[in-house]
Amino acid sequence: MRNLYLVFLTLILHCVTYGQSTPPSQTTASPTDLNERIRMLEENLRLANQGLAKTVDDLLWYQKLGDVAAIDKIRYGSKPPHVVKNPTGQGATNPVVIPAYTFVPKKFTSAKKLPLLIFVHDGIHGDFSTLYAHVVRELLDQGYLIIAPEYRGSAGYGGEFYKQIDYGDYENDDVLAGKRWAVENMPQADPDRVGIIGWSHGGMISLMNIFDHPDDYKVAYAGVPVTDIIARLGYKPQAYRTIFSEATHIGKDPSDNVAEYRRRSPVWNAQKLKTPLLIHTNTNDEDVNVLEVESLINALKAHEKKFEYKIYQDAPGGHSFNRLDTKLARDSREEIYKFLARYLTPPSPLR
């Protein structure tokens, strides 16, 4: 099927080429040119599909949660791009505009102030999709306001935004900017009761936020979090490692700048912990190997930090074990909610 697709694209390119008025000798593309054009067409198609999927999923939020939440999608400014092709060009250093979802529980509209949760999605190029709708509903039922930032690099917003990802750095600032926007612009948000939660890459961002900005958060949860980029690249395939040396990611290989990889890794920032923290991991995680999270746990213990954690043994679901619709997942989320409630005191906590 893929070969037929490539042949089809090649025929289109040839038709476009020979439809021009210049002589055929000047329009015949080399195999290299054709392959590059096909690559660009495929990339554009992929980005278009992401945009369509995002549009559909935005509508699904209202269908799934419109009965219990006032839902909005807002935008705010964050840091400028970390890679600027022409720094002197018009608007080159303008802030990157970050979309974010906000959820306000309808049954607590009369409450003067409510606790605020910053919900950070997973995936380096993921997005906040309705796969999280059941978790959001559970949090809304307890009385939390929620903001879910679509930090730079998130899928569904076109190629330029997608390529802005700065693994472990600027997207942390995008999330912090979302928290500060919510405190200033959501009237019910209590600035003294703000927590942050996330799984996987979202867990990594949550950790770096509390390590670098402890005064902004009252509590944090990190589920199966990426914690050590250096170790992670060691057990991932070469294709995965190559991505991070590209300019659209970190820009250098660890061997060229190991200090930068350390700076962006939570395990090497464990000494900064001041915020109450709960960590979950799973021994059969097929994405974030348990060794990463165990290293963070050991580092926090070495620095005599107070925190809570649980290592699940071969829990069904692997990387997604406590985001599923299973009893084990619900029980695990109950642990999270009870931990958060200790510090954020929602109006209707789990009993």
Side-chain angles (χ1 to χ4, degrees), residues 303-323:
H303 289 291
E304 299 182 338
K305 297 298 180 180
K306 293 182 179 180
F307 68 104
E308 296 184 27
Y309 72 94
K310 184 171 181 178
I311 300 175
Y312 285 78
Q313 299 296 319
D314 295 331
H319 190 57
S320 300
F321 79 97
N322 65 351
R323 287 172 280 176

Side-chain angles (χ1 to χ4, degrees), residues 22-312:
T22 49
S25 60
Q26 296 180 26
T27 60
T28 302
S30 68
T32 301
D33 291 336
L34 286 172
N35 287 336
E36 177 60 18
R37 293 186 197 181
I38 291 170
R39 186 196 65 79
M40 292 177 65
L41 284 169
E42 289 183 319
E43 181 177 346
N44 289 338
L45 180 61
R46 176 174 56 82
L47 293 169
N49 285 339
Q50 289 177 357
L52 178 60
K54 173 55 63 177
T55 299
V56 172
D57 205 57
D58 280 354
L59 295 174
L60 282 176
W61 277 115
Y62 295 92
Q63 192 266 332
K64 287 176 174 286
L65 295 180
D67 59 325
V68 296
I71 306 168
D72 199 4
K73 195 167 186 182
I74 58 89
R75 301 192 304 164
Y76 57 85
S78 184
K79 282 187 172 181
H82 70 290
V83 176
V84 180
K85 293 180 181 178
N86 180 16
T88 59
Q90 184 175 346
T93 57
N94 283 350
V96 172
V97 175
I98 305 297
Y101 299 90
T102 63
F103 303 87
V104 178
K106 288 182 176 179
K107 71 176 181 179
F108 298 104
T109 52
S110 61
K112 187 176 181 181
K113 290 292 181 182
L114 292 172
L116 171 68
L117 274 179
I118 319 304
F119 199 145
V120 193
H121 73 72
D122 61 336
I124 303 170
H125 288 296
D127 67 306
F128 196 70
S129 77
T130 48
L131 288 175
Y132 280 118
H134 61 304
V135 181
V136 174
R137 179 179 285 271
E138 291 166 355
L139 292 167
L140 290 167
D141 285 344
Q142 296 169 64
Y144 288 104
L145 300 174
I146 299 170
I147 182 169
E150 296 272 72
Y151 51 84
R152 68 190 68 199
S154 296
Y157 301 97
E160 287 302 314
F161 192 80
Y162 188 87
K163 293 175 182 177
Q164 287 296 334
I165 190 72
D166 185 32
Y167 194 95
D169 198 3
Y170 277 26
E171 68 264 30
N172 298 333
D173 298 288
D174 297 341
V175 170
L176 178 66
K179 176 266 176 184
R180 293 178 177 174
W181 179 93
V183 168
E184 293 175 2
N185 294 279
M186 298 180 74
Q188 287 182 286
D190 186 343
D192 296 321
R193 289 188 291 162
V194 181
I196 185 169
I197 65 172
W199 278 264
S200 195
H201 189 65
M204 175 183 174
I205 292 176
S206 298
L207 289 168
M208 293 304 293
N209 261 258
I210 62 170
F211 289 162
D212 291 337
H213 307 281
D215 295 336
D216 279 87
Y217 302 99
K218 202 78 173 178
V219 65
Y221 169 73
V224 290
V226 174
T227 66
D228 189 342
I229 308 175
I230 301 171
R232 184 169 180 77
L233 296 185
Y235 66 78
K236 291 294 184 181
Q238 181 59 48
Y240 187 91
R241 295 196 294 270
T242 300
I243 292 172
F244 293 92
S245 61
E246 296 175 355
T248 50
H249 281 61
I250 295 178
K252 289 182 179 294
D253 186 86
S255 62
D256 298 320
N257 193 347
V258 70
E260 184 62 18
Y261 279 76
R262 284 179 51 138
R263 184 181 73 82
R264 299 177 186 228
S265 297
V267 70
W268 298 102
N269 289 271
Q271 72 280 3
K272 300 178 183 177
L273 179 66
K274 296 180 181 179
T275 307
L277 170 65
L278 171 63
I279 302 169
H280 280 160
T281 189
N282 188 10
T283 55
N284 64 356
D285 191 323
E286 74 283 2
D287 187 335
V288 179
N289 193 291
V290 69
L291 70 86
E292 275 197 67
V293 190
E294 288 175 330
S295 294
L296 175 64
I297 291 168
N298 292 334
L300 290 167
K301 288 179 178 179
H303 289 291
E304 299 182 338
K305 297 298 180 180
K306 293 182 179 180
F307 68 104
E308 296 184 27
Y309 72 94
K310 184 171 181 178
I311 300 175
Y312 285 78

